[in-house]
Amino acid sequence: MKLSELKNGETAVIVRLSGHGGFRKRIMEMGFIRGEKVKSVLDSPMHDPVKYHVMGYDVLLRRSEAAMIEVLPEEEAKKELTPAPTYTGRSIYDTCSGNNCVSCTLRKVSTHRKNVINVALVGNPNSGKTSIFNALANQNEHVGNYSGVTVDAKCGSFNYKGYRINLTDLPGTYSIAAYTPEEIYVRRHLFEQIPDVIINSVVASNLERNLYLTTELIDMNLRTVVALNMYDELLAQGAELDYEHLGAMMGIPMIPTVAKNSKGLDKLLDTIIELFEGNNKTIRHIHINYGNIIEEQIAPLSAEIHKAEDLPQQFSVRYWALKLLEGDKEVAEELKGCMELPRWQHIAANSAKKIQAQIGVDVETAMSGAKYGFINGALQETYKAGDKDTQRKTRRIDRLVANRWLGFPIFILVMWVMFSSVFLLGAYPQEWIDNLFGWLGEQACNLIPAGAIQDLVVNGIIGGVGSVAVFIPQILILYLFISLMEDSGYMARAAFIMDRLMHKMGLHGKSFIPMLMGFGCNVPAIMATRTIESRSSRIITILVTPFMSCSARLPVMVLFAGAFFPKHAALVLIGLYMLGIGVAILTARLLRFAKFQKDETPFVMELPPYRLPTLRATLRHMWEKCAQYIKKIGTVILLSTVVIWFLSYYPRPKESTEYRVQSTEQREKSKEYREQRTEYREQSKEQREEGGINEESFIAMLGHAIEPVLAPLGQNWRSSIALITSIPAKELVVSTLGVLYSSDSEESIQQDLCSSGDFTPRSAAAFMVFILLFFPCIATIAAIADETGSKRWAAFSIVYNTAVAWLAGFLVYIIGGLF
């Protein structure tokens, strides 16, 4: 029977994998191997994908992919399957001969940098790898409880016992093959950088699955220490592990750690120093035994490769032979400098055919099975399973949040609570910041003589920067919710709930996570698309992610919604976010129909257990994002507001100058600055245009030139300028309006927007829609070009998004006129 036919709660045994090579490889790496038990746990609300339990992990598979896995009921399987290979001592591995061993050579590398140790951190997604990095390097890298948080290498340095340790956190991968961009990146880093020591982070409570990556490091013959992370979870299960014996069998020292509270990290660092100095007694190179048939083909190929004088010395000869037998395409790139490469490939191809003819499966499948057999045998001698079910809590929560009927309502409720909190809770600290900048404006008026300098400081710097800084509370609240969803594991469930719907939209199930991250910032969201194996789905996700209203657009939405729709501001905010999602869906369908008609890879995603987010990690994540926002305020936004002020202040007409001097003298004589500003705002539009806003300024000239393009949307030259200045950063819309209306707080800008006559509710709605869909900031455009590998897609995003924004804004303005 097919795995897709398995009903919830039923258990079966895997007997055969079909489908293309890439799919089989990924499935095997996830634990779906011959003879392994698999249980159908839960259908998604739309019956696709399905959550399966294998090797102690919950994994999502679409039914179409599950149909390519053949299973048997347990009783039938016992009759038809032979036992998996077990550990029996030297029959499972052989030790290094020591003659011309690459490992022995590499142990001497870097002796000239006596006190500097370069360390690479590798591991499966959700293995706590980035938590170890944060604890060791004291970096503010966010830890997310779903696959793909680390989408690039993160570097940190620290001192320990007289050594300078340079630590690199590499992307999370299930193997070091050449299947995903992460895997290629990790292998190239190890090949090109040659770290002195590798920390392999594994989940202590799920060793069988996590040690698969370790076996590949064994083949590479790199100095490695295994961090048995989250060791407290293993103990909580009542399990026992003789990790010293396990390390001795694998030739790799193993150290129990709990990264979240830094337990075991000192011992981990001591072991790194021992490996670097060559003083660790556990480390040794072993050969995983792949069976007589495969070993007979490895030996002559290894002997041929060993003769080459131009062979790269980063990895062992045996590793190169194994990869050539597997037909790994990246190996050809790494060995392209070897003159004998074509002959090796010819020998490997013939050997692979012989292996498949004798054992009936391809080399990759046979090697994966042997690796799991090696792991299983080693654990039989060192690991005793516990009798406590630590997954009960996760299953109970999943029955509720991933329920067929309750999954979508709960997700919508979470989104509603998030956006309502952003608007309502953020209003209180926002008022305090607003008052602070208002007070600073008053003090600057009293201290600085009247003239251009005073106007620059009050209306340009304080008014422009202050109008953006007041939205820091909303940014913090938004990232608080995103952080809680990521750290707890709910983000992965959201992808599970949305996959069937996303698939119908022409997107990948994994596309949902980057899109949801886009509500925070589009740049890291676009980088997070690297976890999507399908190139077509990855490009589509990159192109639609900018339609997700990022935190930079939030100040604009809050400002206009509060000014023109005060009674329904939260609903307007939610409606705008939903509009962005809707446009993203339509765009995805269009791209799928017109350009990318085929999705190359299946949806396979791990569901991590629920974990309680730590206060420290959550606060650190919030501060990290807030610090980025503050940095932007103090750099890009400050510089831009000064430029905008200059363009709006010069050239100075005579009438405007006289008015400003008179107005300034009156303000200096009066002790009630606030009252005077209120009276000034209540003056007629003509008076304000004559003195408050310079119609003959450079920015007015530019605005009038652009105005005809946006006039059909109900926009004038001021709003046109605000849209143009949003190109570097969307927050500049607010600071631009603050400068143009000489306003120094959110409240005063809202009063000016309503009283000036420049906006009506329908033109304000059209403005918000345009800024929502208008092409993203420069940083996002650069990210699109980098991640797609083509400037054409970046140019497409600029043109397409702008056209969509204009059309949508026009429709909103026309429809608004009907009401």
Side-chain angles (χ1 to χ4, degrees):
M1 63 182 294
K2 297 177 180 178
L3 179 59
S4 58
E5 298 171 2
L6 205 64
K7 296 179 180 179
N8 287 170
E10 294 182 350
T11 302
V13 178
I14 300 169
V15 295
R16 191 172 67 87
L17 304 177
S18 57
H20 59 79
F23 170 76
R24 290 201 309 274
K25 182 172 180 61
R26 170 57 65 216
I27 289 298
M28 287 187 293
E29 291 169 356
M30 297 292 287
F32 290 83
I33 60 171
R34 190 173 187 266
E36 191 65 34
K37 291 182 181 180
V38 59
K39 181 179 180 180
S40 176
V41 179
L42 182 68
D43 288 355
S44 70
M46 298 183 71
H47 296 289
D48 202 11
V50 180
K51 181 168 79 170
Y52 295 98
H53 189 76
V54 62
M55 283 194 178
Y57 267 8
D58 291 329
V59 180
L60 300 182
L61 279 182
R62 289 201 187 112
R63 290 187 180 275
S64 58
E65 279 79 52
M68 290 188 281
I69 302 176
E70 186 178 338
V71 298
L72 283 176
E74 288 187 79
E75 293 300 321
E76 293 183 35
K78 289 179 182 179
K79 300 176 183 178
E80 297 191 24
L81 291 178
T82 57
T86 57
Y87 177 78
T88 57
R90 290 182 61 88
S91 63
I92 289 294
Y93 62 80
D94 300 313
T95 57
C96 171
S97 63
N99 297 324
N100 299 320
C101 177
V102 176
S103 178
C104 299
T105 302
L106 290 179
R107 287 192 183 99
K108 301 175 182 178
V109 172
S110 304
T111 53
H112 62 284
R113 333 180 241 97
K114 184 68 176 176
N115 295 321
V116 179
I117 308 176
N118 291 327
V119 180
L121 185 54
V122 302
N124 287 186
N126 305 308
S127 63
K129 182 172 55 63
T130 304
S131 296
I132 293 176
F133 177 82
N134 287 338
L136 291 178
N138 195 27
Q139 298 291 306
N140 292 330
E141 296 302 332
H142 176 49
V143 182
N145 191 16
Y146 64 91
S147 174
V149 173
T150 309
V151 295
D152 208 343
K154 308 291 191 304
C155 300
S157 299
F158 59 96
N159 296 319
Y160 182 78
K161 292 186 176 180
Y163 289 86
R164 183 66 174 175
I165 298 179
N166 300 321
L167 183 62
T168 303
D169 179 21
L170 296 173
T173 62
Y174 293 104
S175 74
I176 311 177
Y179 181 65
T180 67
E182 286 80 11
E183 292 173 351
I184 295 173
Y185 186 95
V186 170
R187 191 162 77 180
R188 286 181 178 173
H189 179 91
L190 299 180
F191 180 80
E192 296 172 0
Q193 302 301 322
I194 318 178
D196 302 312
V197 179
I198 295 174
I199 299 175
N200 177 205
S201 175
V202 306
V203 178
S205 59
N206 198 290
L207 291 172
E208 188 174 7
R209 239 280 302 280
N210 279 249
L211 287 176
Y212 185 90
L213 178 60
T214 310
T215 62
E216 295 193 312
L217 294 172
I218 290 174
D219 287 338
M220 287 181 165
N221 192 20
L222 299 176
R223 284 183 293 189
T224 302
V225 54
V226 169
L228 298 169
N229 202 24
M230 294 177 266
Y231 201 77
D232 54 335
E233 294 184 5
L234 180 144
L235 298 177
Q237 294 176 355
E240 298 178 5
L241 175 67
D242 187 350
Y243 56 85
E244 292 183 350
H245 187 198
L246 179 62
M249 288 195 302
M250 289 192 162
I252 295 176
M254 300 194 174
I255 310 298
T257 62
V258 184
K260 64 182 180 181
N261 53 25
S262 300
K263 289 185 178 179
L265 296 186
D266 285 344
K267 178 61 176 175
L268 181 65
L269 292 174
D270 290 339
T271 305
I272 289 172
I273 295 174
E274 290 176 0
L275 292 175
F276 180 72
E277 296 290 351
N279 297 328
N280 187 274
K281 298 180 180 180
T282 302
I283 192 74
R284 63 195 178 100
H285 180 44
I286 67 171
H287 288 171
I288 297 173
N289 192 309
Y290 291 103
N292 292 335
I293 294 175
I294 297 179
E295 290 293 339
E296 287 176 1
Q297 303 300 326
I298 293 175
L301 181 57
S302 296
E304 289 294 325
I305 297 174
H306 189 71
K307 297 176 183 177
E309 296 182 357
D310 54 358
L311 183 73
Q313 298 297 303
Q314 288 89 335
F315 305 144
S316 70
V317 171
R318 181 179 173 87
Y319 175 78
W320 296 123
L322 292 171
K323 288 303 170 183
L324 286 172
L325 279 174
E326 290 180 355
D328 193 307
K329 295 179 180 179
E330 280 292 308
V331 165
E333 179 65 23
E334 292 162 351
L335 298 180
K336 62 182 179 181
C338 300
M339 295 180 61
E340 296 294 319
L341 176 61
R343 192 166 68 88
W344 299 341
Q345 289 176 316
H346 179 71
I347 296 173
N350 290 334
S351 297
K353 290 179 181 178
K354 293 179 182 178
I355 292 172
Q356 186 163 357
Q358 293 183 62
I359 63 180
V361 297
D362 60 85
V363 177
E364 283 186 346
T365 302
M367 287 185 177
S368 295
K371 280 184 168 72
Y372 276 118
F374 167 70
I375 295 167
N376 181 268
L379 291 177
Q380 283 185 14
E381 294 194 14
T382 59
Y383 177 74
K384 181 180 179 180
D387 55 359
K388 297 179 182 179
D389 185 5
T390 58
Q391 297 295 316
R392 183 181 301 174
K393 178 182 68 174
T394 292
R395 289 196 298 271
R396 287 179 175 176
I397 297 175
D398 273 344
R399 289 193 193 105
L400 179 65
V401 302
N403 183 272
R404 177 183 178 185
W405 303 107
L406 298 178
F408 279 111
I410 290 175
F411 174 72
I412 293 172
L413 177 63
V414 170
M415 295 295 101
W416 181 83
V417 170
M418 179 174 73
F419 294 128
S420 296
S421 299
V422 165
F423 195 91
L424 299 176
L425 296 181
Y428 298 101
Q430 185 181 33
E431 184 178 353
W432 306 334
I433 299 174
D434 204 356
N435 292 335
L436 172 63
F437 276 92
W439 178 80
L440 289 174
E442 293 179 13
Q443 299 305 309
C445 259
N446 294 331
L447 295 174
I448 302 174
I453 299 300
Q454 185 195 79
D455 201 277
L456 168 63
V457 173
V458 176
N459 296 323
I461 298 175
I462 296 177
V465 172
S467 59
V468 177
V470 295
F471 295 100
I472 290 176
Q474 277 93 345
I475 303 299
L476 282 173
I477 294 172
L478 178 66
Y479 277 109
L480 169 64
F481 277 91
I482 293 177
S483 176
L484 291 175
M485 286 191 291
E486 290 175 347
D487 296 348
S488 65
Y490 181 73
M491 189 78 88
R493 270 67 186 183
F496 168 61
I497 293 168
M498 297 295 293
D499 174 68
R500 182 68 177 270
L501 189 59
M502 300 290 285
H503 192 57
K504 288 183 177 295
M505 298 170 188
L507 291 168
H508 198 279
K510 290 185 179 180
S511 300
F512 183 74
I513 291 175
M515 291 174 69
L516 194 58
M517 289 176 65
F519 290 141
C521 180
N522 290 159
V523 175
I526 288 172
M527 295 176 67
T529 60
R530 296 180 188 179
T531 61
I532 304 173
E533 293 88 353
S534 167
R535 174 170 170 76
S536 63
S537 293
R538 186 163 64 248
I539 291 179
I540 291 175
T541 306
I542 288 171
L543 295 177
V544 302
T545 295
F547 290 120
M548 303 297 102
S549 183
C550 65
S551 58
R553 295 183 176 102
L554 183 62
V556 186
M557 309 305 181
V558 172
L559 179 72
F560 277 82
F564 293 96
F565 310 98
K567 295 182 180 180
H568 308 287
L571 291 177
V572 170
L573 200 62
I574 295 173
L576 288 167
Y577 278 87
M578 296 305 295
L579 175 62
I581 294 172
V583 172
I585 292 170
L586 293 175
T587 300
R589 290 298 299 166
L590 178 63
L591 289 170
R592 182 65 72 184
F593 175 78
K595 179 67 177 177
F596 305 104
Q597 298 182 0
K598 183 180 179 182
D599 195 0
E600 303 93 343
T601 57
F603 173 70
V604 182
M605 182 177 176
E606 174 189 331
L607 275 183
Y610 288 101
R611 292 190 174 96
L612 186 66
T614 63
L615 179 62
R616 178 184 176 186
T618 301
L619 293 178
R620 183 172 56 198
H621 183 213
M622 292 172 61
W623 168 246
E624 175 190 353
K625 298 304 179 184
C626 182
Q628 292 178 4
Y629 189 73
I630 293 174
K631 182 179 179 180
K632 185 187 288 187
I633 291 175
T635 54
V636 176
I637 293 175
L638 175 59
L639 177 61
S640 300
T641 53
V642 171
V643 172
I644 293 166
W645 172 87
F646 179 85
L647 295 175
S648 65
Y649 194 81
Y650 294 103
R652 302 297 297 154
K654 182 179 179 180
E655 300 81 14
S656 177
T657 304
E658 292 176 354
Y659 179 89
R660 281 186 176 272
V661 172
Q662 293 173 3
S663 178
T664 302
E665 290 175 351
Q666 291 174 356
R667 287 201 299 267
E668 289 177 340
K669 293 177 181 178
S670 173
K671 295 181 180 180
E672 304 295 335
Y673 172 71
R674 280 282 185 182
E675 293 181 5
Q676 290 244 343
R677 288 193 61 83
T678 302
E679 293 176 2
Y680 171 70
R681 293 191 195 103
E682 293 174 352
Q683 292 175 356
S684 66
K685 180 181 177 183
E686 290 77 15
Q687 289 175 311
R688 293 179 64 250
E689 286 182 349
E690 182 181 354
I693 301 176
N694 184 2
E695 285 274 10
E696 299 179 18
S697 63
F698 295 120
I699 204 167
M701 298 176 192
L702 179 60
H704 285 300
I706 302 170
E707 184 177 8
V709 179
L710 296 171
L713 282 64
Q715 309 305 309
N716 62 10
W717 70 270
R718 296 178 188 85
S719 58
S720 300
I721 286 298
L723 291 172
I724 295 300
T725 57
S726 71
I727 293 175
K730 299 306 175 188
E731 303 96 330
L732 286 173
V733 170
V734 180
S735 59
T736 299
L737 293 174
V739 173
L740 292 177
Y741 288 104
S742 300
S743 303
D744 56 5
S745 67
E746 181 200 3
E747 180 184 358
S748 63
I749 296 177
Q750 289 179 331
Q751 290 178 4
D752 288 337
L753 291 175
C754 294
S755 63
S756 65
D758 291 336
F759 289 95
T760 63
R762 61 189 285 223
S763 65
F767 184 90
M768 287 189 289
V769 168
F770 191 93
I771 202 68
L772 168 72
L773 305 176
F774 187 38
F775 78 83
C777 65
I778 296 299
T780 303
I781 293 297
I784 292 173
D786 289 341
E787 296 303 316
T788 60
S790 173
K791 294 181 180 179
R792 293 182 179 181
W793 285 120
F796 170 82
S797 181
I798 293 173
V799 175
Y800 176 81
N801 289 32
T802 303
V804 169
W806 191 95
L807 180 60
F810 177 72
L811 291 175
V812 167
Y813 186 71
I814 296 299
I815 294 172
L818 301 177
F819 297 96

